[in-house]
Every structure is written in structure tokens, then in C-alpha cells.
Amino acid sequence: MSTAVSTTSLCDLSAAQMRVGYLSGDFTPSEVMASTLARIRDVNGDRATGINAFTEVLDDEATSQAATATERLHVARRRGDRLPPLFGIPVATKEKHALAGRTLEQCLAAHRGRIADADHPIVARIRAAGGIIHARTTSPEFSCATVTHSPMWGVTRNPYNLAASPGGSSGGAGAALAAGMATLATASDIAGSTRIPAGFTGTVGYKAPYGRIPGAPPLSADTYRGDGPMARTVDDTALLADVMSGHHHSDHFSWGGSGQLAGTLDAHTSLDGVRVGISITLGDFDVHPDVASATLRAAEALRQRGAEVVDVTLPWRSDEIRETIFAHFGHLLAPAMRAETAGGPPVAAYTEQFMRDAEAAAQRLSHLDSVAADARLQAQLASAMADVDALLCPVSAVTSLAADGNYLDGIEVVGPDATPVHLQHYWQAHLTSPFNVANRCPVLAVPAGIATDGVPIGVQLVGKPLDEAMPFRLGRAVEDALGVPSWREAQVRDSAPSETEARRVDAQ
């Protein structure tokens, strides 16, 4: 796989820079799309050893749409017409976000050959805003893992370190963005599936308040879930979130008008008077020293911009959080997953384990018990954030996951004293799912450093319920101070070790 790529390629520009270049006449959508497709051919590689970020690349369709946009651009410049917000921008969509007339398989052999009859609401909005969908990104089966590999689509790898996963479930989106193979990307998040890959790939991911971005029924009724944007910058993420947001007639739970985040960012640059709580462990998570250090650097960046940063304490235990979320999944997702795959080909090992874990938790906790557990966690978070405007914490406790890892018997983590700790369930290695339980809180994941294994480290900025602007204001400050080097500047391993080898590295 070649890595001899110019650092000034058009595909590396942000969406904001592309818009400026279009209007100034420096380049056209056709040139940007040609650069993006060339990058994909150059670096994506194959299923065996490559980054492997896509289920399909829509070369001809995207090239044709970019040519049409270029013609429209020439007319718009002569007339002084305004361009729609995503005009001519390459956008990669997660395969689960339906494109009418194309497959909608969710990585499941039982769904092979299924065709979508309509665009997902966010896909329709991206197209209406002028975005060009040029590729579709990989995910694990049912989007139910925090790594991205499957029998159907193979292993998706992290551009920063091919031995590592880009995270999941929106791993293809994170990998594509990091390697310059997409400018913007769609993602989804039911326990961290946007924020985890953002954290591991040095990109930005946003989990909006529940219902702010419309989903696809019937599972849009799940209060833990949400679709959302990923990008390489905070401003680009706000731009895509604005396009996606607002009530849609097909999703009864969606609400509000179109987003205003981009304008809010321009209006607020100082953090004077903002009070931010910091919790590195969210109770008892065993957080790797590299991750803790990066989170403290993010806190200092906020202080330098004028924010007051104070310690907050949460009574959470990672095993109790795991029990809470899996009981929820057991009463809703597991039955749907069983029904969807009954009588079909075997599912991946991690999918079967997810269903069994969820079913077992639902046996231990009734639906009412599950709702009560949600309410306790929500109340504890509200109490901890009562005197602050936002919360800062890590995305993941570990620095990376093995690209081919299943983690069926748990995971080894390294705590602050560098002592290895074995956790029963690998989902306890991520600090994201509590904010799916408290899913009216907006959460932005931004990069805050690079770990010793070469993989980026992300932090979460958690706003109070429905306060979308605050995480973006804080995220821009962290981004300005702690921008991470690109994947080309980081050491990329040429071969991927086994899960056992990756665990050994994690434990050192």
C-alpha cells in the first residue's frame, strides 16, 4: 500500500476550505472529487492488509455529480448565487444509512442482497444540501461492536497503526476521514459508536441529544441511539450536524428546526465565565496513563482559553454501567437481532456474544428495573454537573484495540499505576455509554493527543441536556491547542499482529 501522498492534496482540505476554494475559483468540485477518489485508490488497500474503510465506492456516480456541480459553480460565480452548505463536498455514508436502490445489509449474511427503497432521512438532507456521496463505510454486524471487522466485509484498520482498529461501530467512517478518503462522514451511536472511532482516529464525532437528528423507524424509538456527523475538524462537524438536524416527518421522535451550531461557533470564541468539570475515571474506570495525560492537557487548553476547570466526582462503577446498558439492549435490541437473523447463516462471534449478554441481563433486570437503572445514572450525572456548564472526560480507557480483536473473554487494561487489570467485558474499556443512557446530553469527541502506540487519544465534552453549543465551543478550544498530527506523520505498521499480541502490547 502506497503512502507517498502529497500533504497538500485537495482531499485533505476541510469542507470550509473547499467552500472558500470553490468561491475563489482556485479549484472545482470535479478536482476535489478526483483527488478524493485517487486517495482511495492509493491508500485504502484490500480486505487482507489494507485500511479497508468502504463497502463500496461510487466512482462513476460521484464523478458525474461533481461534474454537474462544477458546471453549476461556474454559473453561480457569474451570478453571485449562494451555494448550499455542502455544495460539492465528498461525503461518505455509513452503510446502514440507506441509499435508495442500493444494498442495505448492515454487514449481515442474512440480509445479503437487501435493497433500500428510500434514502435515510440524513442521506436525503445531505443530498439536498449539495453533498456528494462518493462511498459507503464499513461497520461491524448490526453495528454492535467497538471494533470494525466482519465475515462479510473483512477487517477495517486504523490508518495511524494498521495493527489497531479504528474503533466501532462507525470504524469505516473514522478510517476514511483520517486517511483523507472522505471530507465528511455519517455515523451512528448507541453506546459510543461515533465517539469511539473518532477518538481512535484523530477525528471529531458528535452525539446529538436524542431525536435532534432524525433516524429510521422503528429503532429510532430507542432512546439510547442517534445518528450523527463525523469530520476532521470541529467546524466541519458543526456544519454537517446543522444539515442533519431538525424534525423529519418519518421519525416521530425527531424535533426542532435546522441546526445553528456553525453560527454559534463564530459568535463565541472566549470561554470566560464557563465552568467545566473534569472526571478522568467517571468513577472507577481504569484509565491508561497516556489517556489520563491527554485529558489533563485538554483541561489546561480550556483553562488557557478562560474556562474554570474543577474536579467532579461520580459514583459510577463500570460493571454496573455495563449491566444497565445490556439490560436495555436485552429488552429491545436482542429480540430484534434474533428475529432478523433467525434461520440464516451464523453471525460473527461478537454478535452472538452481544445477544447472549443482553438476553442474560434482561433476565436479571425487568424492563421496569432497567428503566429505574437508567434513571439512577441520569440523576447521578445531573447532580455531578449541577454546578458546571459541561463535563470533560476521556473517550476510551485504553489506547487502542486490536484490528482483528473479538475480546470474547474480556480485555486487559492498564490503570494509572501501570498495573494490568483484566475486565470481564471489553465494553468496560470505553467511557461513552453513560451518555447514551443520559441521551439528552450532547457530546462531542475531539482529539487530544497520540498514545505511545501511535494511535490518537480522544476526549469527550459533555453538555447539559439540549445545550448543543457548549461542547462545540469547548471542542474548538481543545482543537486549536492540541491538534494531532496527520496519519501520514505517524508511524504505520506494515502488518497486523494477532489479538493476543495486541493485548501483550496493551499490558506493557
Side-chain angles (χ1 to χ4, degrees), residues 290-306:
D290 286 1
V291 176
S293 296
T295 308
L296 291 172
R297 288 195 298 271
E300 182 58 28
L302 297 176
R303 289 192 186 96
Q304 292 298 318
R305 189 61 69 88

Side-chain angles (χ1 to χ4, degrees), residues 303-324:
R303 289 192 186 96
Q304 292 298 318
R305 189 61 69 88
E308 179 185 5
V309 181
V310 298
D311 291 329
V312 297
T313 301
L314 281 153
W316 292 343
R317 287 175 43 189
S318 66
D319 58 345
E320 291 181 352
I321 291 170
R322 182 197 70 212
E323 182 78 350
T324 297

Side-chain angles (χ1 to χ4, degrees), residues 7 20 65 89 94 96 100 103 176 236 306 337 405 408 442 450 479 496:
T7 58
V20 171
Q65 291 177 12
I89 307 298
K94 193 171 182 177
K96 71 175 290 184
T103 56
D236 279 6
M337 293 166 70
L408 301 180
I450 299 281
E479 178 182 70

Side-chain angles (χ1 to χ4, degrees), residues 143-449:
S143 295
C144 73
T146 66
V147 289
T148 298
H149 63 78
S150 67
M152 181 179 286
W153 294 330
V155 179
T156 299
R157 302 182 184 279
N158 195 320
Y160 280 86
N161 180 339
L162 295 180
S165 175
S169 65
S170 306
L177 290 166
M181 298 186 290
T183 309
L184 304 172
T186 71
S188 62
D189 197 313
I190 198 167
S193 284
T194 297
R195 291 160 287 153
I196 292 167
F200 284 143
T201 59
T203 59
V204 180
Y206 179 49
K207 184 206 72 66
Y210 172 63
R212 186 71 179 101
I213 295 173
L219 289 182
S220 56
D222 183 357
T223 57
Y224 277 24
R225 65 155 305 284
D227 300 295
M230 291 179 68
R232 287 191 292 267
T233 70
V234 170
D235 283 17
D236 279 6
T237 306
L239 172 68
L240 185 53
D242 284 345
V243 167
M244 291 178 169
S245 296
H247 173 70
H248 191 279
H249 65 87
S250 70
D251 181 3
H252 180 78
F253 299 96
S254 61
W255 56 272
S258 59
Q260 304 295 324
L261 290 170
T264 300
L265 278 172
D266 292 335
H268 297 89
T269 56
S270 171
L271 296 178
D272 290 346
V274 175
R275 185 175 168 90
V276 180
I278 180 173
S279 177
I280 292 177
T281 63
L282 289 186
D284 75 343
F285 284 86
D286 290 293
V287 174
H288 191 284
D290 286 1
V291 176
S293 296
T295 308
L296 291 172
R297 288 195 298 271
E300 182 58 28
L302 297 176
R303 289 192 186 96
Q304 292 298 318
R305 189 61 69 88
E308 179 185 5
V309 181
V310 298
D311 291 329
V312 297
T313 301
L314 281 153
W316 292 343
R317 287 175 43 189
S318 66
D319 58 345
E320 291 181 352
I321 291 170
R322 182 197 70 212
E323 182 78 350
T324 297
I325 64 173
F326 271 93
H328 173 95
F329 296 149
H331 288 291
L332 181 61
L333 285 187
M337 293 166 70
R338 287 290 185 199
E340 288 289 321
T341 57
V347 296
Y350 59 76
T351 305
E352 180 61 35
Q353 177 174 316
F354 179 97
M355 291 188 289
R356 288 179 178 174
D357 288 346
E359 290 161 346
Q363 289 292 317
R364 293 188 293 269
L365 295 179
S366 70
H367 190 190
L368 179 59
D369 292 335
S370 172
V371 172
D374 286 351
R376 284 193 298 273
L377 188 150
Q378 292 159 358
Q380 290 162 348
L381 179 62
S383 177
M385 294 184 66
D387 296 323
V388 298
D389 300 299
L391 175 67
L392 167 67
C393 64
V395 170
S396 292
V398 295
T399 60
S400 63
L401 300 173
D404 60 352
N406 278 307
Y407 298 102
L408 301 180
D409 56 352
I411 188 172
E412 299 290 331
V413 301
V414 177
D417 60 356
T419 301
V421 178
H422 181 79
L423 300 178
Q424 291 184 343
H425 203 289
Y426 79 104
W427 277 33
Q428 292 174 249
H430 311 297
L431 290 75
T432 50
S433 60
F435 309 111
N436 295 88
V437 180
N439 207 10
R440 289 287 180 168
C441 293
V443 189
L444 189 71
V446 297

